[in-house]
Amino acid sequence: MSVRASDPGQASRARARMVERLRAQGIRDERVLAAMQAVPRHAFVDEGLGFSAYDDTPLPIGFQQTISQPFVVARMLELLRSGRELGRTLEVGAGCGYQAAVLSLLATEVYAVERIRGLLDRARANLRPLRLPNVRLKLADGSLGLPEAAPFDSIVVAAAAVGLPPALKEQLAPAGRLIIPVGGAEQRLLLIERQGNTFRETWCEAVRFVPLIAGTD
């Protein structure tokens, strides 16, 4: 039975099992885990995929894009937080809106940009019932960031870049952090920490994301 079509209790239990699995996989940030528990992931995928909504797997969301697997979402946000608050946050690649919803519980402000207009419309529709006052969505080329709202304390990129887009680095606030998948056939998470005019790089887990594409559709 689809989780979407089931009772709220079933969905809550499915999320609880997802969170316990994330703990077993090594996620330790309790605020990230609480946010993952709170957001109904099944509401962000097609009803026919509701039975897989809480599996640890990416799922198609249309427009040749996917919703990231729960572990990758949790791990990226854990790395981004790591003993600090997220503050003003930019999400590049809003997709169906799921990660923006999770971020809304962890950041003071969330600016989520998406390059595909149809997908942005879907994200808006998915997020509307949740009434999240600190989330703003915009159609934009994510590789250029969002200069009118910069600087950002945190930036999370949900698409793989061949190299770090200079605009994102420039829009990072002092003491800010950026997490982005980098690579082509082989990708790894890259954590950037700004310390004054110095940028510290730390390579993390291997991942698999759709490519970061310039422009808007």
Side-chain angles (χ1 to χ4, degrees):
M1 178 185 291
S2 165
V3 172
R4 183 190 291 272
S6 68
D7 62 89
Q10 185 190 30
S12 180
R13 290 190 295 274
R15 284 198 298 281
R17 289 192 294 271
M18 177 188 74
V19 167
E20 287 309 308
R21 185 177 63 244
L22 291 173
R23 280 199 179 94
Q25 290 173 300
I27 302 299
R28 296 288 176 262
D29 190 320
E30 289 298 327
R31 283 196 60 195
V32 170
L33 292 170
M36 301 282 285
Q37 170 70 55
V39 176
R41 190 172 188 257
H42 65 276
F44 292 85
V45 300
D46 289 341
E47 190 166 358
L49 295 173
F51 65 93
S52 299
Y54 297 103
D55 294 347
D56 194 33
T57 184
L59 295 171
I61 54 174
F63 304 93
Q64 298 182 306
Q65 304 296 304
T66 59
I67 181 174
S68 299
Q69 69 188 88
F71 174 77
V72 171
V73 173
R75 181 58 177 151
M76 289 178 78
L77 298 184
E78 182 175 63
L79 287 167
L80 205 56
R81 272 178 45 80
S82 190
R84 63 189 278 273
E85 297 300 320
L86 293 185
R88 178 185 289 244
T89 299
L90 173 66
E91 180 195 17
V92 174
C96 61
Y98 173 71
Q99 186 167 251
V102 176
L103 281 167
S104 75
L105 302 175
L106 300 169
T108 52
E109 298 175 273
V110 179
Y111 294 83
V113 299
E114 172 57 52
R115 62 175 294 274
I116 302 172
R117 189 180 303 275
L119 203 49
L120 185 70
D121 291 342
R122 185 171 297 179
R124 285 197 173 108
N126 289 339
L127 290 167
R128 194 171 295 117
L130 301 180
R131 300 180 181 275
L132 304 174
N134 62 338
V135 175
R136 297 169 179 82
L137 298 175
K138 183 170 183 179
L139 182 73
D141 179 347
S143 65
L144 301 178
L146 195 62
E148 61 266 36
F152 297 101
D153 302 300
S154 305
I155 300 176
V156 55
V157 183
V162 176
L164 178 62
L168 298 182
K169 190 174 176 180
E170 292 164 6
Q171 291 171 31
L172 201 58
R177 286 183 189 162
L178 183 160
I179 186 85
I180 181 173
V182 175
E186 296 184 3
Q187 304 169 6
R188 298 190 74 84
L189 291 177
L190 175 61
L191 178 66
I192 304 288
E193 299 173 87
R194 183 170 188 174
Q195 300 163 341
N197 291 322
T198 301
F199 295 85
R200 177 186 173 191
E201 298 185 358
T202 304
W203 291 95
C204 307
E205 284 89 348
V207 289
R208 190 67 180 161
F209 278 82
V210 296
L212 181 66
I213 298 173
T216 58
D217 289 340

